[in-house]
């Protein structure tokens, strides 16, 4: 038996009783000193606080590669703290914060600020993403090296919200980050093909009389970028893949050994462009919701591993930016608090697959060594407990996010996140944020 002195204070210990790690037979988990100290059945509490894990499944804490926290600049829509709380309630222990803040996270100063705010909130590890270009303007490379060397240790760079459309700049960015094994995360959208676009280009857009965003605008950039990544020998990550054609481009690139990974959002796995017929801007998002055939292809690619990761693209927007005419509304939807229930709905209780796509692989891509590890002795105690038997109806008013733009309002989804632990300390207990 491990002595409790091994990590320190028995007061800080938690004993989770009878939990099914990745759906396996029930076991106890003793968390102390920030790690899983011991596993097995019938562990003695020895002063540890006991959490009843009966009927619950333990997963490695989820890791989001694509979160918009809006701070600095739009604290009315979200803050690092409110977004961190939403993340913890969704079962996350780490999130990567996108750079399209105001000011843009294109300097060591801004990424350090976001990183520090994350530490102060202490609810999830907030790993800032740096901008690729100054001000996301697509003209000059940002201080990638300085951001990498800063206290925030940035490894992922993205102009998300905008595409790095200039191929020469994209090539330079890929070359630059190769030195420190960084990755360029591309928002794949050929801007000349999406001018004025309001939704997916297809039958529904024609019927509604809205300008379309064609699938090829995404696919053409991905095709170009995998070739550039191959040429440079550098790492590319494709944000929010949304079309069946993109899956085929990726399949081809992976077969050639290109160092490319890709993510899909929960909303692109569940919703289609038919939702735009409501003209409710809550369904306006970039890239847009696609067709049922795309959804089918994305689901299959996720299971197969052509798509590596589920990332939320959690995009909070203030009421005035969403509750207006479709054409004027900002694109984006909330995702952190509903991602795991949506995935349970889409995939069923395939725990190992869920852990792989929502925790282990995103942790590896982001270089977060403490995350993405299945609870076992000696492993950092970053984990979440889910009740798969519970079903919950999404109520926008109950979300911890400062914004209300969930596309799932009124929808009943499987699974309830009961508890989340960050380095052995609960951030969520009994479905409620601890602080
Ligand atoms: O829908 C989106 N919203 N897509 C993006 O690329 C950016 C994001 C945002 O920042 O709101
Ligand atoms: Zn994007």
């Amino acid at each position: 038996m491990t002595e409790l002195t091994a990590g320190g204070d028995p007061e800080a210990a938690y004993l989770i009783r009878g939990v099914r790690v990745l759906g396996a037979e029930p076991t106890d988990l003793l968390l102390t000193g920030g790690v899983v100290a011991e596993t097995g059945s019938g562990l003695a509490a020895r002063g540890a606080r006991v959490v009843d894990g009966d009927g619950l499944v333990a997963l490695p804490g989820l890791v989001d590669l694509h979160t918009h926290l809006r701070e600095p600049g739009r604290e009315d829509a979200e803050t690092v703290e409110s977004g961190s709380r939403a993340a913890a309630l969704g079962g996350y222990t780490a999130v990567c914060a996108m750079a399209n803040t105001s000011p843009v996270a294109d300097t060591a100063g801004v990424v350090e600020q976001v990183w520090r705010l994350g530490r102060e909130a202490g609810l999830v590890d907030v790993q800032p993403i740096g901008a690729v270009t100054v001000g996301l303007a697509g003209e000059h490379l940002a201080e990638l090296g300085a951001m990498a060397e800063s206290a925030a240790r940035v490894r992922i760079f993205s102009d998300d919200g905008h595409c790095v459309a200039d191929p020469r700049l994209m090539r330079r960015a890929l070359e630059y980050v190769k030195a420190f094994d960084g990755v360029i995360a591309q928002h794949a959208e050929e801007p000349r093909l999406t001018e004025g676009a309001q939704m997916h280009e297809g039958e529904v857009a024609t019927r509604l009389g809205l300008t379309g965003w064609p699938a090829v605008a995404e696919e053409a950039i991905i095709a170009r970028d995998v070739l550039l990544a191959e040429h440079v020998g550098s790492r590319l990550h494709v944000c929010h893949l949304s079309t069946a054609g993109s899956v085929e481009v990726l399949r081809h690139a992976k077969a050639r050994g290109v160092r490319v990974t890709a993510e899909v959002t929960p909303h692109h796995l569940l919703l289609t462009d038919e939702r735009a017929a409501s003209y409710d801007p809550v369904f306006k998002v970039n890239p847009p919701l696609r067709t049922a055939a795309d959804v089918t292809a994305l689901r299959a690619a996720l299971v197969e591993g052509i798509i590596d990761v589920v990332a939320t693209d959690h995009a909070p927007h203030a009421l005035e930016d969403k509750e207006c005419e479709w054409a004027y509304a900002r694109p984006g939807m909330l995702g952190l608090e509903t991602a795991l229930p949506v995935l349970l709905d889409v995939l069923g209780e395939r725990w190992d697959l869920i852990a792989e796509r929502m925790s282990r692989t995103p942790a590896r891509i982001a270089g977060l060594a403490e995350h993405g590890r299945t609870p076992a002795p000696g492993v950092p105690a970053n984990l979440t407990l889910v009740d798969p038997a519970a079903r919950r109806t999404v109520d926008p008013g109950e979300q911890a996010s400062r914004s209300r733009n969930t596309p799932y309002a009124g929808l009943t989804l499987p699974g309830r996140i009961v508890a989340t632990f960050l380095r052995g300390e609960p951030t969520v207990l009994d479905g409620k944020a601890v602080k």
Side-chain angles (χ1 to χ4, degrees):
M1 281 220 201
T2 315
E3 290 301 321
L4 273 180
T5 47
D9 180 10
E11 286 304 306
Y14 281 82
L15 178 66
I16 305 166
R17 277 219 190 281
V19 71
R20 294 160 56 218
V21 177
L22 295 180
E25 289 305 305
T27 185
D28 298 348
L29 300 176
L30 181 67
L31 316 183
T32 186
V35 300
V36 178
E38 212 177 322
T39 64
S41 46
L43 298 185
R46 288 171 292 174
R49 274 166 277 186
V50 175
V51 175
D52 182 7
D54 187 32
L56 307 183
V57 171
L59 294 173
L62 306 182
V63 176
D64 193 21
L65 283 184
H66 193 144
T67 305
H68 296 275
L69 291 174
R70 304 298 187 218
E71 189 175 3
R74 282 309 299 262
E75 291 82 354
D76 56 327
E78 199 76 288
T79 63
V80 171
E81 188 184 359
S82 67
S84 293
R85 189 169 294 111
L89 285 163
Y92 288 87
T93 52
V95 300
C96 298
M98 271 300 171
N100 64 340
T101 48
S102 178
V104 169
D106 58 4
T107 62
V110 178
V111 293
E112 281 185 357
Q113 180 193 359
V114 172
W115 177 75
R116 237 190 325 271
L117 288 166
R119 292 235 308 198
E120 281 163 23
L123 291 156
V124 289
D125 284 345
V126 173
Q127 174 57 57
I129 290 175
V132 178
T133 70
V134 175
L136 310 176
E139 285 168 11
H140 305 285
L141 277 192
E143 313 174 342
L144 309 185
M147 289 189 272
E149 282 165 21
S150 74
R153 294 191 72 258
V154 176
R155 288 293 176 275
I156 305 179
F157 297 88
S158 181
D159 273 4
D160 182 62
H162 301 266
C163 183
V164 180
D166 178 346
R168 194 168 67 152
L169 212 49
M170 187 62 182
R171 175 189 177 170
R172 288 246 182 81
L174 286 164
E175 282 167 349
Y176 203 105
V177 300
K178 199 180 164 186
F180 47 85
D181 204 30
V183 56
I184 304 293
Q186 176 71 291
H187 169 116
E189 172 182 356
E190 169 47 67
R192 295 281 288 152
L193 293 175
T194 62
E195 280 169 21
Q198 293 292 336
M199 65 173 293
H200 172 63
E201 180 180 292
E203 276 172 48
V204 184
T206 307
R207 197 170 80 221
L208 301 179
L210 293 176
T211 306
W213 195 131
V216 69
E218 175 173 306
E219 294 152 5
I221 291 292
I222 299 175
R224 180 200 78 177
D225 286 354
V226 294
L227 294 174
L228 285 173
E230 182 175 31
H231 180 69
V232 175
S234 192
R235 287 169 67 201
L236 170 71
H237 177 74
V238 183
C239 295
H240 42 53
L241 206 89
S242 71
T243 80
S246 295
V247 170
E248 290 317 306
V249 175
L250 212 66
R251 185 190 304 283
H252 176 76
K254 286 190 164 190
R256 287 171 66 89
V258 179
R259 300 174 76 197
V260 59
T261 53
E263 68 187 37
V264 64
T265 69
H267 48 271
H268 288 109
L269 289 169
L270 193 68
L271 308 173
T272 69
D273 60 345
E274 289 288 350
R275 298 296 179 122
S278 66
Y279 290 105
D280 183 344
V282 81
F283 298 112
K284 183 171 174 178
V285 65
N286 193 15
L289 300 175
R290 305 287 188 183
T291 67
D294 292 308
V295 169
T296 303
L298 294 171
R299 288 181 179 195
L302 183 67
V303 172
E304 191 186 343
I306 297 292
I307 296 176
D308 305 82
V309 162
V310 174
T312 66
D313 197 3
H314 177 82
H317 285 296
L319 278 187
E320 67 269 24
D321 292 325
K322 261 322 211 185
E323 297 200 346
C324 55
E325 253 181 76
W326 180 282
Y328 302 114
R330 299 263 174 94
M333 32 181 79
L334 301 184
L336 287 169
E337 294 175 71
T338 47
L340 184 55
V342 169
L343 264 290
L344 281 169
D345 196 50
V346 167
L347 294 177
E349 294 182 29
R350 298 166 81 167
W351 299 112
D352 199 62
L353 183 64
I354 288 173
E356 191 69 23
R357 301 284 183 264
M358 300 186 80
S359 177
R360 290 188 208 119
T361 306
R364 182 172 49 74
I365 292 169
L368 300 171
E370 284 195 358
H371 294 271
R373 298 177 63 185
T374 300
V379 163
N382 298 316
L383 54 106
T384 188
L385 308 182
V386 188
D387 178 359
R391 294 183 67 81
R392 283 162 63 83
T393 302
V394 179
D395 176 353
E398 273 183 9
Q399 308 253 301
S401 171
R402 282 207 177 170
S403 294
R404 292 288 168 265
N405 54 309
T406 172
Y408 311 113
L411 190 68
T412 301
L413 292 167
R416 172 173 180 257
I417 291 86
V418 174
T420 306
F421 290 86
L422 178 65
R423 282 181 282 281
E425 289 295 323
T427 54
V428 172
L429 273 181
D430 205 16
K432 295 183 189 68
V434 168
K435 59 178 177 181

